[in-house]
Every structure is written in C-alpha cells, then in structure tokens.
Amino acid sequence: MPKSKKLKSSASPAPSKSEERYSRANKTSKASRLTPPAEAPREAIALLKADHREVEDLFSRFESAAGDAEKRDLANAICVALKVHARLEEELFYPAAFGVLEDKTLLDEAQVEHASAKDLIAQIEAGAPGEAFFDARVQVLAEYVAHHVKEEESEIFPQCARSKIDLEALGVRMKMRKQELMTGFAVSNPILALS
C-alpha cells in the first residue's frame, strides 16, 4: 500500500461554485439488500476500485441470472451499489480531486456520466424483469458504468494517487459515509433489509 499522503490544509475552506457542483448528493432513496463488505479497503482509491469490482460482478451475475426474482434482486443490488458509490464520489472524492486534477473537465464528464446512470437507475427501479426494455436498460447501464470506470481508473485515480491528497483519511471518511448510506437504505425499506 502506498504511503499516506497529507491534505494541503486541515481547515476546510468554503467550497467554490465548481466544487459545490461536485458535492451534490443523489437524492433517490430506494432500498436494497446489498450490504457493505465487513473488511472494506481503507484507502479512498482502493475503496472505489473495490466498489467497481463489486458492481462488475453484479452485472455479470445479472447476465446469467435464471429467473425474474433473481434478476430483480440483482438489479436492486446494482442500483443501490451505484447510488451509494456515486454519492461517495460526489460528496467526498470529487471535491478532493478537484483541487489536484490537471484537467478539470474529467470531473465534468464524470458528473454527466453519473446523471445518465441515475436516469437509467430510476428507469430500472420503476420497471421489473420481464417488462419491455428491462434487461436492455441494465445492459446499457453496465456499458455506461464500464466506460466511467475505465476513465476513472486510467485518468482520475492516477493523478489523485500522485497528489498530496491524504487518501487514507479520505478513505476512512468515505467508508464511514458508505456505512451511513447503506444503513439508510436498509432503514428506509426494512423488508428488503431483512431478506
């Protein structure tokens, strides 16, 4: 694991309008059975990459799912995982990255990709397996996510890793926020949380 890096300042200055744009939260709150892993990585980039691998696995399992009930469960898990992941990036990671990225348009593109994914997530959540376009929406979402992951992991993450961002401290905050978000999803729909 790389050495811990320090933030430029321990004080939190007021965010600029550009930084505020990257900290807007996803306001949807539909629940799922997905729970965070007990031993999630602590470093911010490792945590986000673990989320990427988890969602890739869920999409793969969806492709080979046998029945509508399994597809519905996997679609729910995909939607919750992506909504939580997007919130972590928008609330914590992107604001930290904004100050260190050479090309700020990468974050603009990431925000547009999040917005497109959120639109498809809402359509998936409103639908059901067996309905017209349900599987197609999940497939297109998988393609959007694959593109987004590739850009993050090849362009944004390397620049952040070389920066002065304290990725360990950011990762701890992100892990705590992820637990809060996952608890919120479970509380908002206890039936899904118990299943």
Side-chain angles (χ1 to χ4, degrees), residues 131-195:
E131 291 181 358
F133 305 115
F134 185 83
D135 287 6
R137 286 182 180 114
V138 175
Q139 179 58 41
V140 171
L141 181 60
E143 292 168 4
Y144 281 2
V145 169
H147 170 80
H148 180 75
V149 164
K150 181 180 177 186
E151 285 190 346
E152 278 188 343
E153 292 188 4
S154 66
E155 298 180 52
I156 295 174
F157 292 176
Q159 288 183 49
C160 290
R162 292 188 304 267
S163 75
K164 295 182 187 283
I165 295 174
D166 185 341
L167 293 169
E168 289 288 332
L170 180 58
V172 169
R173 291 194 337 258
M174 289 170 62
K175 184 176 178 181
M176 288 173 49
R177 181 63 176 136
K178 182 175 183 175
Q179 290 170 344
E180 290 172 1
L181 291 168
M182 295 305 294
T183 300
F185 280 110
V187 169
S188 69
N189 192 332
I191 293 170
L192 286 176
L194 295 174
S195 56

Side-chain angles (χ1 to χ4, degrees), residues 45-66:
I45 292 173
L47 187 142
L48 294 174
K49 284 183 174 182
D51 283 357
H52 292 167
R53 302 298 84 79
E54 176 186 7
V55 172
E56 288 167 352
D57 178 61
L58 289 169
F59 280 123
S60 177
R61 289 170 48 201
F62 182 90
E63 285 180 24
S64 60

